Amino acid sequence: MSVFAPLNGRAKLLLALFVVGLAAAPIAADRYLLSVLILIFYFAYLGQAWNIMMGFAGQLSLGHSLYVGLGAYVAAALWTKFGIGPWAGMFAGMAVAMAFGAAIGWLGFRFGIAGVYFALLTIAFAEFTRIAFDHMDWTGRAGGLFLPVRAEQAHQWWNLRGGPLLFYYLALALMLGALWLCATLRAARIGHYWLAVREDEAAARALGIDVFAVKMKAVLISSAMAAVGGTFYAFYYNNLFPAQIFDMSRSIEMILAPIVGGLGTLIGPILGAFILTPLGEGLIAATEEAGLSAPGTKAVFYGLALMAIVWVAPSGVWPWLRRKLGLETP
Amino acid sequence: MTLKTSVSRRAVLAGAAAGSAALAAPAIVSAQAGTLRIGVLLPRSGLLAQAGQSCHRGALAAPRVLAELGYRVELVHVDTESNADIARTQAERLINDGAHVLTGAFDSGHTLAIAQVCEQRQVPFVVNIAAAPPITEQGLKFLVRNFQTGPQLVTNGLRLINNLIAATKIDPKRAVFLHANDTFGQAQRNAMDAIFPRTNMPFQLVESIAYDPRAQDLSVEVTRLRSLRPDLVLVVTRASDAIKLVRDMVRQRFEPMGIVSPGSPGMYDEEFYQALGPLADFHVSNLPWVNPKSAMTQALERSFAATNPGNRFAADGFNAGFTFEALLIAADAFKRAGTTSGVPLMEAIRATNLTEHVMIGGPIRFDEKGQNPNIGSACVQNRGRMPVVVLPEDSATMAPVLPMPGWQGRT
C-alpha cells in the first residue's frame, strides 16, 4: 500500500471498507442500484484515465471520447466480423487508440501546441474520426454496429456475455485497477515528472526532464486506459453509433467526475463519479416525485447542484473532504 | 395525463469513503388492482427532444381513449434525455417501481439498451418507434416492434412514388437521393442502395448525396443537386436540415417537380411549417401515418386536442399515433391475459390481433421475430401548412398535386 502513502491510516481503513462494501453490494443491491453502480464505476474509471492526462501531466484533452470510441469499435468489430473475443479485441483497441494518441501527442508536443490549442487538436481528432466512422462500411457507417445477443452465449464471461453481475464486478475491477495503476504511476518517477511538467514545464526542462517523452507517456497510457473503457461499453450496450460514442458530450461527461472530485488526486475521479451519477439519477426521481415533468427540469437542477459543489469546493470535493475528515498525512 | 401513485424510496448510502449520496432506489409498488402500469421511456430532452416530445404528447392523449375503449392503464413517463445510459438505468428503475410493460424509445440505440434490461427481467417491451433492423433480429423474446424497419420504410416509400406518379401523371426521368448522414439516414441509404435497383422505377437514380445534418447550410449540396438536374429529389431528413434544404433551393432558384421523402421525418414537423410558411407546402412524405378515416384516430385526435391544446395533432400524428398504438397493444394484451405477470403478458402481446387501430395498415399482429409486418404507408403531402393523406385513395382526404408550384408567388 506504499503507493497510497498520501493517505493516512484512517483514510486507508475507509478505503478498505469502501472496497469491501462494494464487493459485497450485490448481496443487498437491487437491479436498478447495480445498474447505477456500474455507471459510477465506468465513469470513475474513465475519469482516472483522463486524470492522468490533465490532472497529473497538465495536458487538457477534450477529445477522450476518441479513445473510448476506438476501443469500443475495434473490439466490437473484431468480435462481430471475425469472432475474435473481447479480451483479445481489447488489446487491439488499446493499440489503435495508442496509435491515435501518439499521433495527437506527437503533433501537439513536438510543435508546441499547448493549453486550449492542444484541447482543440484533441477535439478535431475526435470529430474527424467520428466523420470517418460515419462513412466506414466495415463498422456499419452512421447506421451503427450491433453486437449479436444470443441466448446460447448468455453466460460466457470470456466473451463478455452475461448479466449485470458480470458487468458489475468487471466495472468494479476496472475502477479499482485504475486506482491502483494511477497510484503506482504517481508514486513512481514518471509521476513526479508529470507533476513537474504540470507545474512548470520550462523549469522541468531546465532540470533535465525529457518533457516530450514524459507527456507522450501520459497520452499513451491515458488513451490505452480509455480504450479498455470503450471495450467495456461496447459489450455492455451491444450497439455503437459514431454520433454517440465519439460525440464531444461524451468527452465532457468523462471529465466531470475528476473535475468535481478533485483534479490530480487519486480519489477525486472516484468520488466525483459517486457524486455526479447518483445526483443525476436522484434528480430524475426527485423531479418525478415533485411532479416537475417539463423536459430539462432535471438538467436545470443538475446544473445548479454542480455550481453549488464548485462554489463550496473549488479545488474539488476530495481535497475539501480530506481536510474536513482529517484524512491527510501530517 | 399522467396518473401516478406516490412511490416511497429508500436512501442508499453510496461510497463510505466519499460520504453519502442519496440514490433513488424505489420500492416496488403495485398498481391499482386491474390496472396495467406502463413505463413510457422517451427522449424528451437532449438531441432527440423534438421527436420525443411529439411522442410524449401522444402518450398524454392515450389514457382517455384507452379508458373509453375499456382498458385500464397507468402511465409513468420518463425522459431518457437522449442518452442510452439513462435509458438503461431508468428501465431498471421503472421495473423496480412495478412497471408491468415498457414502451419507447424512439432511438434504436436506446431501444436496444432497454430491450436488454427487459429480456433479463422478463418484462414485455413494446417498441413504439425504432427502425434499425437488428432490433428484431436478435432473438429477443420480450420485445415486439410496431414500427417499420428501415428497409420496409424504403420499400413502401418507393412503391408509393410509383402510385404518386400514376395519380399526378407526371413523367420524371431523373432523381437524386439526398440523405442526412446520421444513424437513420445511413440505414435508409443502405436500404435504398439494396432496394431501388429491384423496383423498376420509371426514373433513373443519378446520384446519392450524403450530408452532415449538423452543417450550417446545404448550399454546396443544393449546388450539386442543380448541376444534376433531377426531376425528383428524394430526401431523408430531420426537420432542421429539411428547412435548410428548402431555403437553399429557394435561394438558388432550383425547382424540381417535387421533393419526396421515401420514409423519413422532417417535412411534416411543426418546426418545418413554422419556419417555411408557404414554402413548406407540396412536399411529400411517404411513410406510415394515422388513418384520418378511422374512428379510433378521430377519438385520439379529440383527446390530443384536450391534453395538448398548444399543439396540432396533424403535425404530431406519426409520433403520437405509434406511441398510442404501443400503449394500445400492451393494454389489449393485458385485458386478454388477465395478469400483469411478464411471461403470460408477453404471450398475449405476441398473440395480438388488433383490427381496429389508428395507423394505416392491416391488423396489428406480430411475426415470430416480434415484428408487425402489416403496417401500411401513405403519401402525406403538405397542403396549407398541414400534412394531408393523398394516397392510398381509401384513406386520402385530398388528391395529390405534382409538379409542385414554383417557389415564387406562394401564399
Side-chain angles (χ1 to χ4, degrees):
Chain A
M1 289 286 277
S2 62
V3 293
F4 294 106
L7 302 177
N8 64 17
R10 190 194 303 180
K12 286 172 185 169
L13 177 67
L14 282 174
L15 184 62
L17 287 172
F18 172 67
V19 171
V20 171
L22 290 179
I27 297 166
D30 60 29
R31 286 280 310 250
Y32 168 59
L33 188 51
L34 279 186
S35 72
V36 173
L37 285 167
I38 288 168
L39 268 190
I40 291 170
F41 302 160
Y42 174 71
F43 282 117
Y45 172 80
L46 290 180
Q48 293 283 22
W50 184 79
N51 201 34
I52 289 174
M53 272 291 282
M54 181 64 201
F56 293 176
Q59 306 305 307
L60 177 59
S61 167
L62 294 179
H64 254 53
S65 61
L66 165 68
Y67 310 127
V68 176
L70 288 169
Y73 261 107
V74 170
L78 289 174
W79 164 249
T80 53
K81 309 287 179 188
F82 305 112
I84 295 170
W87 297 97
M90 178 180 78
F91 287 104
M94 285 167 75
V96 172
M98 286 169 81
F100 272 73
I104 293 169
W106 185 82
L107 281 171
F109 308 144
R110 172 71 180 76
F111 297 102
I113 300 167
V116 292
Y117 302 101
F118 180 73
L120 285 176
L121 182 69
T122 61
I123 293 169
F125 262 81
E127 200 52 15
F128 81 61
T129 307
R130 176 186 68 79
I131 293 164
F133 271 80
D134 271 347
H135 294 85
M136 276 171 59
D137 274 336
W138 196 62
T139 53
R141 299 201 277 191
L145 180 65
F146 299 86
L147 284 76
V149 183
R150 299 195 192 98
E152 65 272 18
Q153 294 177 331
H155 304 290
Q156 296 182 354
W157 63 266
W158 59 95
N159 281 328
L160 292 189
R161 308 280 82 187
L165 268 187
L166 167 70
F167 287 100
Y168 176 85
Y169 283 112
L170 192 62
L172 178 61
L174 281 176
M175 182 182 78
L176 297 177
L179 174 64
W180 175 83
L181 178 65
C182 289
T184 304
L185 288 169
R186 210 182 66 165
R189 186 183 297 260
I190 185 69
H192 292 93
Y193 286 169
W194 281 335
L195 298 186
V197 168
R198 183 188 75 186
E199 293 306 315
D200 192 331
E201 197 170 311
R205 189 175 284 110
L207 287 169
I209 295 172
D210 184 348
V211 170
F212 175 79
V214 163
K215 290 200 286 190
M216 282 300 284
K217 283 174 184 168
V219 76
L220 289 173
I221 294 168
S222 183
S223 59
M225 283 176 71
V228 174
T231 303
F232 173 88
Y233 181 94
F235 284 80
Y236 183 54
Y237 283 99
N238 296 304
N239 61 83
L240 296 168
F241 301 93
Q244 289 175 13
I245 193 105
F246 290 111
D247 195 75
M248 194 179 158
S249 65
R250 300 299 289 187
S251 295
I252 302 297
E253 267 184 322
M254 210 182 299
I255 72 176
L256 280 177
I259 288 172
V260 165
L263 207 54
T265 65
L266 289 174
I267 305 297
I270 297 173
L271 181 57
F274 267 92
I275 291 168
L276 294 177
T277 307
L279 177 69
E281 291 291 324
L283 282 172
I284 291 171
T287 51
E288 190 185 297
E289 285 291 312
L292 300 170
S293 60
T297 308
K298 172 233 161 173
V300 171
F301 286 108
Y302 189 81
L304 290 170
L306 274 183
M307 284 166 63
I309 292 166
V310 172
W311 178 274
V312 170
S315 304
V317 176
W318 174 242
W320 174 82
L321 194 68
R322 201 169 47 189
R323 277 195 307 276
K324 291 278 176 195
L325 300 178
L327 300 175
E328 292 167 302
T329 45
Chain B
M1 193 178 90
T2 306
L3 304 165
K4 195 178 171 304
T5 47
S6 164
V7 181
S8 64
R9 302 182 188 286
R10 65 180 187 273
V12 177
L13 292 179
S20 63
L23 274 168
I28 295 177
V29 174
S30 299
Q32 295 166 291
T35 303
L36 184 72
R37 195 165 222 251
I38 308 174
V40 186
L41 291 132
L42 294 165
R44 285 158 45 210
S45 60
L47 189 68
L48 304 168
Q50 184 206 23
Q53 288 176 26
S54 175
C55 292
H56 178 63
R57 290 191 282 272
L60 292 178
R64 180 183 302 205
V65 182
L66 293 173
E68 287 169 8
L69 295 167
Y71 300 117
R72 295 186 66 186
V73 298
E74 178 190 349
L75 307 186
V76 184
H77 302 280
V78 169
D79 176 10
T80 61
E81 300 174 32
S82 304
N83 182 319
D85 300 338
I86 291 171
R88 186 165 182 148
T89 57
Q90 289 306 303
E92 294 276 14
R93 187 174 70 87
L94 280 168
I95 295 169
N96 271 15
D97 272 354
H100 307 121
V101 179
L102 300 187
T103 67
F106 188 80
D107 175 85
S108 293
H110 303 174
T111 297
L112 278 163
I114 295 164
Q116 288 168 71
V117 172
C118 288
E119 200 68 13
Q120 288 164 357
R121 301 191 69 174
Q122 301 201 324
V123 169
F125 181 29
V126 184
V127 177
N128 69 331
I129 296 173
I135 289 169
T136 44
E137 298 296 328
Q138 304 267 31
L140 297 167
K141 293 181 177 65
F142 284 82
L143 176 143
V144 292
R145 170 165 54 184
N146 184 49
F147 190 73
Q148 291 182 350
T149 62
Q152 286 173 332
L153 280 166
V154 170
T155 303
N156 291 336
L158 289 174
R159 180 179 47 78
L160 279 164
I161 291 175
N162 266 333
N163 299 352
L164 189 64
I165 289 168
T168 54
K169 298 182 173 57
I170 57 171
D171 185 24
K173 297 293 182 203
R174 296 160 63 83
V176 169
F177 180 48
L178 187 74
H179 68 91
N181 197 23
D182 57 11
T183 304
F184 180 71
Q186 191 58 57
Q188 297 302 87
R189 164 70 182 271
N190 295 346
M192 195 80 171
D193 288 348
I195 295 161
F196 187 87
R198 302 200 305 260
T199 52
N200 293 321
M201 299 298 279
F203 52 82
Q204 179 196 359
L205 187 66
V206 291
E207 193 163 323
S208 294
I209 302 171
Y211 65 85
D212 186 347
R214 304 181 199 201
Q216 289 301 302
D217 63 52
L218 295 177
S219 55
V220 173
E221 287 78 7
V222 172
T223 303
R224 176 80 188 129
L225 261 179
R226 281 184 66 194
S227 72
L228 294 166
R229 295 174 289 102
D231 300 310
L232 289 179
V233 179
L234 310 181
V235 297
V236 169
T237 58
R238 304 285 186 188
S240 57
D241 34 303
I243 292 164
K244 292 175 210 164
L245 175 68
V246 171
R247 281 183 174 157
D248 278 310
M249 281 186 173
V250 174
R251 243 179 245 128
Q252 298 192 30
R253 294 180 186 159
F254 172 57
E255 296 180 350
M257 281 183 188
I259 302 173
V260 182
S261 165
S264 80
M267 298 196 299
Y268 57 81
D269 288 315
E270 194 66 67
E271 188 183 342
F272 187 75
Y273 299 119
Q274 297 292 340
L276 294 173
L279 299 176
D281 279 345
F282 301 102
H283 311 307
V284 180
S285 304
N286 294 351
L287 75 174
W289 200 256
V290 287
N291 184 349
K293 294 182 177 175
S294 148
M296 201 182 285
T297 303
Q298 290 158 10
L300 180 62
E301 186 166 7
R302 285 193 298 274
S303 178
F304 187 96
T307 49
N308 304 284
N311 296 87
R312 298 189 304 167
F313 179 72
D316 278 336
F318 175 88
N319 293 317
F322 273 118
T323 304
F324 170 80
E325 281 199 348
L327 299 169
L328 172 70
I329 290 160
D332 179 72
F334 169 58
K335 195 173 184 177
R336 283 181 287 108
T339 176
T340 55
S341 178
V343 174
L345 187 56
M346 192 65 218
E347 283 171 9
I349 287 172
R350 283 191 173 270
T352 295
N353 184 10
L354 281 163
T355 51
E356 285 296 312
H357 53 100
V358 300
M359 305 304 287
I360 288 169
I364 297 176
R365 290 186 191 138
F366 297 105
D367 62 19
E368 68 286 352
K369 291 178 178 176
Q371 175 69 39
N372 176 7
N374 297 333
I375 302 167
S377 286
C379 267
V380 177
Q381 186 166 40
N382 295 345
R383 303 286 281 277
R385 268 72 90 204
M386 286 269 286
V388 173
V389 176
V390 293
L391 284 174
E393 279 182 22
D394 57 358
S395 303
T397 53
M398 279 188 178
V401 173
L402 283 182
M404 65 179 190
W407 301 121
Q408 300 304 315
R410 289 196 187 189
T411 52

